[in-house]
């Protein structure tokens, strides 16, 4: 495959290139062609990973009668490739809603594929009406089994962490009748809660180990959310970077959420703009900038979306060194509990013979 041509010309020296000069030219051309080929392969794999992730993430999420929801996903611009960040809103029985956000270990197309495995597993476990701590424990064990199968160990659960298809996860169940929100996390940053009076709180949730270690030791915490409260679930790419630790990033998130009350779509944009602009400014002070053609290298659209529409990759914000997933949910007015469906009694078709 021909990737290009190189022409070497000199004017002051009329002599032909020497053998040593030709060897140097061949070496330079070889290095250039290798770099171009690597860039082409990287672009192709990144495009494939983005397409895979776009198809695996939910196209439309809904909080039903309990929650108004909005979400964003911003892919990374690093050479390691996009990560395995994911999110979901899962309708449960009795008008409850399960909210989940997670981050699979690794980058590239393999991370996107593993994310595609975890999302339906969580949906299936959520459909069993498991409490958040029990769901994470079941997920931990299932991921360990999947990691054992992928490594060819024949189901041996005693695997090193590096061989496990693991990651972090935060799972939340909101009940609109008693307005209680029950949460558990596995190595994941805690959610942020924006109350109607403008206060932003990071609830204290026991920090369980990441998914895939086989400890299955998780605990839930419950808080009450008044009408109009907003809960923010996010991945660490939103609050952590090479220039800022988790604590300072969470404080910036608190400030971004605590501004004037707006709709969820506008709040998503405000949070992402505030967090990514700070990161871009810090990168500028370090003398770095995103690579040409990377997401966020230049502004694009205004980022507006239909209400409830889950995003594909968002390129309207400044670049980031890690994927960012953001899921916002705002509580609606409380509703009465719907009566449980009455089991259908089969008709009696018996007859005298």
């Amino acid at each position: 495959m021909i990737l290009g041509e190189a022409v070497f010309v000199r004017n002051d020296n009329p002599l032909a290139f020497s053998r040593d000069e030709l060897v140097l030219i061949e070496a330079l051309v070889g290095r250039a062609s290798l770099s171009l080929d690597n860039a082409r392969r990287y672009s192709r794999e990144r495009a494939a990973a983005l397409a895979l992730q776009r198809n695996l993430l939910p196209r439309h999420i809904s909080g039903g009668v309990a929650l108004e929801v909005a979400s964003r996903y911003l892919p990374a611009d690093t050479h390691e490739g996009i990560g395995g960040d994911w999110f979901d809103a899962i309708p449960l029985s009795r008008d409850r809603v399960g909210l989940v956000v997670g981050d699979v270990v690794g980058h590239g197309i393999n991370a996107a594929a593993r994310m595609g495995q975890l999302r339906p597993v969580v949906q299936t476990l959520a459909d069993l009406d498991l409490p958040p701590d029990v769901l994470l424990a079941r997920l931990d064990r299932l991921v360990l089994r999947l990691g054992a199968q992928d490594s060819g160990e024949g189901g041996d659960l005693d695997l090193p962490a590096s061989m496990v298809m693991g990651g972090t996860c935060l799972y939340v169940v909101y009940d609109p009748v008693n307005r209680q929100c029950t949460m558990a996390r596995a190595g994941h940053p805690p959610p942020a809660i924006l109350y109607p009076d403008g206060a932003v709180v990071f609830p204290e949730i026991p920090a369980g180990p990441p998914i895939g270690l086989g400890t299955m030791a998780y605990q839930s915490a419950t808080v009450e959310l008044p009408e109009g409260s907003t809960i923010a679930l996010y991945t660490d790419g939103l609050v952590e970077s090479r220039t800022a630790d988790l604590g300072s990033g969470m404080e910036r998130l608190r400030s971004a959420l605590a501004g004037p009350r707006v709709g969820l779509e506008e709040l998503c944009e405000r949070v992402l703009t505030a967090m990514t602009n700070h990161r871009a400014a810090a990168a500028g002070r370090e003398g770095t900038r995103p690579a040409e053609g990377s997401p966020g290298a230049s502004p694009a659209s205004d980022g507006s979306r239909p209400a409830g529409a889950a995003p594909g990759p968002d390129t309207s914000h400044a670049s980031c060194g890690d994927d960012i997933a953001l899921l916002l949910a705002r509580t609606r007015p409380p509703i009465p509990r719907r009566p449980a469906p009455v089991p259908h009694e089969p008709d009696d078709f018996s007859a005298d013979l």
Side-chain angles (χ1 to χ4, degrees), residues 195-283:
Y195 287 97
D197 61 1
V200 178
V201 174
F202 294 94
E204 294 186 3
I205 308 173
I211 294 296
L213 297 183
T215 60
M216 292 171 277
Y218 303 98
Q219 298 180 47
S220 295
T222 301
V223 297
E224 184 173 325
L225 298 182
E227 177 185 344
S229 299
T230 302
I231 182 169
L233 287 72
Y234 53 92
T235 52
D236 59 356
L238 182 69
V239 293
E240 251 183 332
S241 69
R242 294 187 299 270
T243 59
D245 59 18
L246 181 63
S248 59
M250 290 171 65
E251 287 304 313
R252 284 195 301 276
L253 176 59
R254 186 197 303 270
S255 300
L257 288 170
R261 185 177 177 87
V262 293
L264 283 191
E265 295 294 332
E266 187 175 346
L267 184 57
C268 273
E269 290 299 315
R270 187 173 78 194
V271 168
L272 277 187
T273 299
M275 302 301 286
T276 57
N277 283 355
H278 179 276
R279 180 171 301 163

Side-chain angles (χ1 to χ4, degrees), residues 157-233:
L157 299 183
D158 188 19
L159 291 173
S162 60
M163 299 175 65
V164 176
M165 188 192 69
T168 67
C169 186
L170 169 66
Y171 181 62
V172 173
V173 174
Y174 175 68
D175 189 330
V177 175
N178 54 25
R179 294 182 295 186
Q180 288 190 341
C181 189
T182 305
M183 304 164 282
R185 61 188 180 118
H188 203 86
I193 299 177
L194 170 62
Y195 287 97
D197 61 1
V200 178
V201 174
F202 294 94
E204 294 186 3
I205 308 173
I211 294 296
L213 297 183
T215 60
M216 292 171 277
Y218 303 98
Q219 298 180 47
S220 295
T222 301
V223 297
E224 184 173 325
L225 298 182
E227 177 185 344
S229 299
T230 302
I231 182 169
L233 287 72

